[in-house]
Amino acid sequence: MSELDVSARLGLAKKIAHSAGAKARAFLARPQDLMSQQKVSTQDLVSAADTVVEAHIRRMIRRSFPDDGLVGEEAGSSHGGSGFDWVIDPIDGTMAFLVGQPNWTVSIAVMHEDRPIAGIVYAPMLRELYTAEEGKGAYLNDRRLTIRQDWTIRSTTIGYGATERADPDEAGRFVARLYREGGVLFRVGSGALMLAYVAANRLAGYYDPTLFAWDCLAGVILVREAGGKAHFSGNLQQPGPIWAGNDHVFAELKRLGAN
Ligand code: IPD
Ligand code: CA
Ligand code: CA
């Protein structure tokens, strides 16, 4: 893998993010075309915007890198022979998107042999593009991001991503432990954005007991390149928990979320 391989893909990811964001925004002007449907619950939705934007992203990637693998939330996975895989969520925070909140994102991670090597999280309504490349740092628009090392779980707020899929007793236990130790909760409806917020010191940390790879791999590299620690214990097919923060917050979130 050469540096050029990675920067060419990150360059394309930035272009894709802008055009995918514009496509998604265009749907907001014609809500009659959204045709939103429930997937497995009243809070797990898919709309025409999700499927159309994912198809657009896949087309753009295939045109430039036909041998790369693709994994996306709405259209499954296809293998490639190049060693690179793109992991994409066309709209992370579909619920936020559908109800008119600005906190939804386009999330794109580039993997090389199962390691995230580049990522972007783009929040079109907020005009914020978060980018990271392995060994080259994390950025919010043009500003370099560096995670505060002095923060604890009592600093600012902690992102917690549990959805209706969460075990209610485990969720209650985590929240009770956090509050008992002086922490406060935050939730914005896009796991990718919450990870970007950790990288940007807008949150001290983030824990979600069950995320998918497309929700979080771009955020994982953002946090790592900003000098923090992030670990996703699922894989490209299976969901799993994710913890993120500085080293100390990361360890504390693991402890608070343990059974
Ligand atoms: C969801 C968001 C949310 C997280 C959920 C995800 P979607 O993604 O990332 O923050 O808590 O687990 O499913 O469905 O809006 O793309
Ligand atoms: Ca998602
Ligand atoms: Ca999605």
Side-chain angles (χ1 to χ4, degrees), residues 73 89 91-94 161 163 165 187 189-191 208 210-211 215:
E73 174 164 16
D89 192 342
I91 299 178
D92 186 52
T94 296
T163 61
R165 292 193 302 272
R187 184 171 194 279
S190 160
D208 191 316
T210 342
L211 270 193
D215 301 313

Side-chain angles (χ1 to χ4, degrees), residues 17-18 20-22 24-25 102 104-106 121-129:
H18 282 112
R25 283 186 73 155
W104 51 274
T105 56
V106 179
V121 174
Y122 179 47
M125 310 301 286
L126 307 172
R127 295 200 167 81
E128 291 191 339
L129 178 70

